[in-house]
Amino acid sequence: ILRDMAKTILSNRRSKEDDVMQLCESHPQKEKVERYAQSFQKLADTFYGMPFRKDYLSAGQVDWVFCQASGKICSKCYQRDFCWGEQKNEMYEGACSLIRAIEDGQEERIRKTKADWMGQCARAGQFYEEARQYFQKEKQNLVWNNRLIEGRLAVAQQLNEVSKIMRTVADDLYDISQAEPEFRDEIQKKLKKRQVLVKSVWVMDKVEGRRQIFLNMRARSGQCISMLEVAQQLSDICGCPMAPVKDSRCIVNGEYHTVHFVEDMSYEVLYGAAKITKEQEKVSGDNYTCNMEEGGRFVMCLSDGMGSGMDACKESEVVVELLEQFMNSGFSQETAAKMVNSALVLKRQDGMFSTVDICALDLYTGICNFLKAGAATTFIKRDHWVEAITSTSLAAGLVQQIDFETTARKLYHGDYVIMVTDGVLDALPQEKEEETMKEIIMDVHEEAPREMSRGILERVLGYSDYKAQDDMTILVAGVWKK
């Protein structure tokens, strides 16, 4: 009896140790991942610690411009000894004031400073032209240095965010723990009745309280069990709705596989779009994407490239693709927008830019976050009223340090989010665009998002004799409680 008891205990202990070793071998060590994260963070801090961009010439650069101009003009002047003898301080201050006036660019200040300088210098006109030329050279160097600094800041932002994601991944991997024996036994017994054999159960409870369960299981020989049936049984045990993650297996077959189940979302979304290309153009300059991401976040991104046609389409397409890639990788919407803006600034040619309009809805809480950069007004329809979310920020790609406008709203069952590009509002009466758009939205009674977007577009075109003066795109998403 003692021998059999010892075999049973040791075999159970060995199986648990094997499971733990299997988990550790399937993931990098947490300490190593955290060291990688610290390395990226230190590298980012190094970039942040370097000099920041400058909008004006430094005192040393002004002295350089002054020395170059005075060396070329004053060296041949017969009054050199007099000007740079007794009146040395006055001449230096006047020359620096003239250079600063050139930098300021205000014509009135330049004329006044130039007139004062003429009272001090006999060759004031020649000195002004030389100082202006040397200033332009130094200013161009400043512009290029700022472009390098902008690239450095973009890299620093990316390294900083990568460091955060690596820490999150390390925590998530090692937050997984074996399920309690009672909980594991209950799952095994319940699923065994449904012809499903469960080998191991792992649990990960997130900070926000969303339970996650990993089941290593297979069906009895010759059986094929629907994954939805397994999720239903798991929901009964957990006391909350559970569902397999996106792109999981549809059935349980005769081979052991690990399936990831998460707490099911509280809301579901349907979306639709309607768009029309500008008259005499073959390609629309607007692009959009709608995507369901991990963690129960539904994201809509809309971008309007400058102008119209193929160039505008390529510009907005790059913006949408980068936003989608970054946000699918786990970046926050603000960080993703900043990195896209940095990329546009660095590759900017001929003043190309694009608007950025992001709507990210948490399907667990119903909280919807909006981010805008030069984008048109977004509308929320609820029952018998419509709310407008406006923006006055610059479009992406114009400046490095851009201030994105962000806001959040709580959405409820039956609400609709309507995102549009500038071409839609520009077709409506001037100075009454938002009010007119609210009336149009209230006048459309279709419940399906696709039909609603088409109805809105048809009514907007009625204000421009059904001729599109610009690219028009309308995105509509409806939210319903499950």
Side-chain angles (χ1 to χ4, degrees):
I1 294 174
L2 291 174
R3 183 188 61 191
D4 294 340
M5 289 176 60
K7 286 183 178 180
T8 303
I9 294 173
L10 291 176
S11 62
N12 290 336
R13 181 181 299 173
R14 190 176 299 111
S15 64
K16 291 182 179 180
E17 291 176 354
D18 292 342
D19 289 340
V20 173
M21 290 299 296
Q22 183 180 1
L23 178 66
C24 294
E25 290 174 358
S26 61
H27 301 291
Q29 296 180 1
K30 182 179 181 181
E31 293 78 6
K32 185 177 291 186
V33 176
E34 289 179 343
R35 285 199 298 270
Y36 291 152
Q38 291 175 0
S39 300
F40 281 112
Q41 185 63 58
K42 288 181 180 179
L43 189 58
D45 293 340
T46 301
F47 280 109
Y48 280 129
M50 294 180 181
F52 284 91
R53 60 169 290 129
K54 296 184 294 184
D55 295 324
Y56 299 97
L57 298 183
S58 65
Q61 291 171 312
V62 172
D63 285 341
W64 182 85
V65 174
F66 162 72
C67 292
Q68 296 298 320
S70 62
K72 191 167 185 179
I73 300 299
C74 298
S75 61
K76 302 177 182 179
C77 181
Y78 64 93
Q79 291 185 335
R80 173 184 174 85
D81 294 337
F82 174 75
C83 292
W84 299 107
E86 299 178 358
Q87 298 184 344
K88 178 179 179 180
N89 294 332
E90 291 81 358
M91 293 293 292
Y92 177 77
E93 291 178 0
C96 290
S97 298
L98 181 63
I99 295 171
R100 289 299 185 186
I102 296 173
E103 183 177 33
D104 187 55
Q106 295 183 5
E107 294 297 332
E108 183 63 27
R109 181 182 175 185
I110 293 176
R111 283 195 297 268
K112 183 179 182 302
T113 309
K114 191 176 179 181
D116 295 340
W117 181 246
M118 286 181 178
Q120 296 177 284
C121 180
R123 305 177 70 179
Q126 297 177 6
F127 186 91
Y128 169 78
E129 291 299 328
E130 289 295 329
R132 189 174 62 83
Q133 291 181 12
Y134 284 112
F135 166 79
Q136 293 297 336
K137 292 180 180 179
E138 196 63 25
K139 187 69 174 179
Q140 186 62 41
N141 291 334
L142 181 65
V143 170
W144 284 110
N145 286 334
N146 285 338
R147 292 292 297 274
L148 292 175
I149 291 172
E150 290 171 353
R152 186 200 73 223
L153 290 176
V155 173
Q157 287 177 349
Q158 296 174 15
L159 291 173
N160 188 40
E161 195 66 20
V162 167
S163 175
K164 293 179 181 178
I165 289 180
M166 292 183 71
R167 286 194 175 95
T168 301
V169 169
D171 292 337
D172 286 349
L173 288 178
Y174 283 83
D175 279 346
I176 302 175
S177 60
Q178 284 186 333
E180 294 294 329
E182 296 81 4
F183 182 67
R184 181 197 61 205
D185 294 341
E186 186 179 1
I187 291 177
Q188 289 176 336
K189 291 177 181 178
K190 192 109 177 180
L191 292 181
K192 190 174 182 180
K193 295 179 180 179
R194 299 290 179 174
Q195 308 302 317
V196 176
L197 303 178
V198 178
K199 183 179 180 181
S200 56
V201 181
W202 300 87
V203 177
M204 181 168 64
D205 292 324
K206 302 295 288 183
V207 176
E208 57 270 21
R210 298 169 193 165
R211 170 169 285 189
Q212 301 185 47
I213 298 175
F214 299 83
L215 298 182
N216 186 258
M217 57 185 175
R218 71 172 178 85
R220 288 182 182 273
S221 300
Q223 300 289 329
C224 285
I225 311 301
S226 169
M227 198 64 68
L228 294 179
E229 185 177 350
V230 176
Q232 183 178 359
Q233 298 297 321
L234 198 58
S235 301
D236 295 338
I237 298 171
C238 296
C240 62
M242 303 293 294
V245 298
K246 182 182 177 182
D247 299 329
S248 292
R249 291 172 165 270
C250 296
I251 61 172
V252 183
N253 57 17
E255 298 180 359
Y256 276 108
H257 292 285
T258 300
V259 182
H260 184 191
F261 294 86
V262 296
E263 187 176 340
D264 201 6
M265 296 167 289
S266 303
Y267 296 89
E268 58 184 355
V269 175
L270 292 178
Y271 69 90
K275 61 186 303 183
I276 189 171
T277 305
K278 180 181 178 180
E279 291 284 333
Q280 299 179 349
E281 290 285 357
K282 296 182 179 180
V283 180
S284 173
D286 301 340
N287 275 286
Y288 69 90
T289 182
C290 300
N291 190 31
M292 178 66 70
E293 299 180 355
E294 291 186 6
R297 185 172 64 165
F298 176 77
V299 178
M300 295 193 298
C301 300
L302 179 61
S303 179
D304 181 4
M306 186 193 70
S308 59
M310 184 58 70
D311 291 338
C313 177
K314 291 180 179 179
E315 195 72 16
S316 62
E317 185 178 25
V318 169
V319 172
V320 168
E321 288 181 350
L322 287 175
L323 286 173
E324 184 177 16
Q325 182 67 38
F326 283 131
M327 297 186 72
N328 280 340
S329 300
F331 291 87
S332 65
Q333 59 181 358
E334 190 167 358
T335 301
K338 285 181 179 179
M339 290 193 289
V340 169
N341 178 70
S342 299
L344 293 180
V345 169
L346 294 176
K347 72 179 285 290
R348 183 173 58 210
Q349 297 178 354
D350 301 327
M352 294 294 289
F353 62 89
S354 295
T355 64
V356 173
D357 200 356
I358 303 176
C359 167
L361 173 61
D362 189 331
L363 296 180
Y364 286 98
T365 63
I367 301 296
C368 189
N369 292 289
F370 300 90
L371 182 144
K372 291 180 174 294
T377 304
T378 295
F379 300 88
I380 298 177
K381 180 182 179 182
R382 177 178 301 157
D383 296 332
H384 302 293
W385 59 275
V386 177
E387 180 184 1
I389 299 176
T390 59
S391 169
T392 58
S393 60
L394 296 174
L398 291 177
V399 294
Q400 170 63 31
Q401 299 297 329
I402 188 171
D403 293 326
F404 296 101
E405 294 192 17
T406 59
T407 186
R409 295 290 187 274
K410 168 68 175 174
L411 300 186
Y412 298 92
H413 175 80
D415 288 354
Y416 292 90
V417 177
I418 299 98
M419 302 173 67
V420 301
T421 53
D422 290 335
V424 175
L425 297 181
D426 291 343
L428 302 178
Q430 292 185 0
E431 299 182 358
K432 295 182 179 180
E433 297 92 340
E434 292 185 9
E435 291 76 8
T436 306
M437 190 64 179
K438 289 180 180 180
E439 294 175 359
I440 292 174
I441 293 173
M442 290 304 303
D443 189 46
V444 176
H445 301 292
E446 286 83 353
E447 294 184 357
R450 176 182 291 183
E451 299 304 322
M452 178 181 288
S453 63
R454 292 177 177 176
I456 294 173
L457 181 59
E458 183 178 357
R459 286 164 174 78
V460 169
L461 287 173
Y463 285 87
S464 59
D465 296 329
Y466 293 93
K467 294 181 180 179
Q469 304 299 323
D470 194 4
D471 299 319
M472 298 183 183
T473 300
I474 300 174
L475 275 178
V476 177
V479 184
W480 290 273
K481 189 80 173 177
K482 279 193 173 182

